[in-house]
Amino acid sequence: MKKAILAASALALIAGSAMAADLPSYKAPPPPPPPPLITWTGLYGGLNFGVGFYDTNSSNAWGAGFNNHGGSRAGVVGGGQIGYNYQVTPMFLVGVETDFQGTSIGSGAGGNTYNWFFGLPPVTTATLNWFGTVRGRAGLTLLNSKVLIYGTGGFAYGEVQRNGWWNQNSAVQTGWTVGGGGEWMVIPNWSLKLEYLYTQISGNGNNNGGWFFNPGWGLNSTNNRTRFHTIRAGVNYHFNFGAPAPVLAKY
């Protein structure tokens, strides 16, 4: 009797094991892979558009008279930029950027010198036709690297045209620029930016009074120093050339 019970128990265990082996596996699936790491490293390029206006006292004069910069006229600015970023750490970034802008920034009468000796009214106007910059950038990335806050500064150049009673001249001036901004990686490879720059460029002096009122004595000469502010919004496409490949978790 005991032998029969033991045999039946053994058969039951064997049958249970066989049935369990035939059941499907319910092993939990692996967790989804993490999203690709956002990186700012690499080449980028884009377009921008904004406004600009002269700083007070933009054209500094010397000689027989005093500077009387007339009503500064704000204008639009627009152009493109190209640059390269390198993310030194997950939070710290450095880079270089160059841009070129067309502008309609101008001034009213009185861009240069009021000549008190001859009682001449201020009649010179100054227009910034275009300008460009070559700048370094350094900043911090925030919010899982989606937002970049940066400072920037470097070399600036531009063409300023001055129109007066007796002469018209335009010259390419050089100088410096400094500013800062923010950039937001909206979707992979595309970012929006907002940037402010203060720029000063200057060139050689010129005689705005003509030979009759200034016979080579430099009495009505200016150093044509031009200072202006710009505020621009833009969009960039990030090619990610030179960026490291994203690292995904292994399972």
Side-chain angles (χ1 to χ4, degrees), residues 98-167:
T98 181
D99 67 285
F100 187 85
Q101 311 291 133
T103 93
S104 64
I105 303 173
S107 73
N112 288 334
T113 305
Y114 182 93
N115 193 319
W116 57 267
F117 183 77
F118 293 99
L120 298 177
V123 295
T124 303
T125 62
T127 301
L128 180 67
N129 294 327
W130 54 263
F131 77 96
T133 70
V134 180
R135 295 171 283 109
R137 301 204 309 171
L140 298 175
T141 60
L142 308 170
L143 301 179
N144 195 28
S145 292
K146 290 184 178 180
V147 175
L148 168 65
I149 305 297
Y150 63 89
T152 183
F155 175 73
Y157 59 99
E159 182 187 65
V160 180
Q161 179 175 337
R162 288 179 167 81
N163 302 321
W165 274 351
W166 297 277
N167 67 334

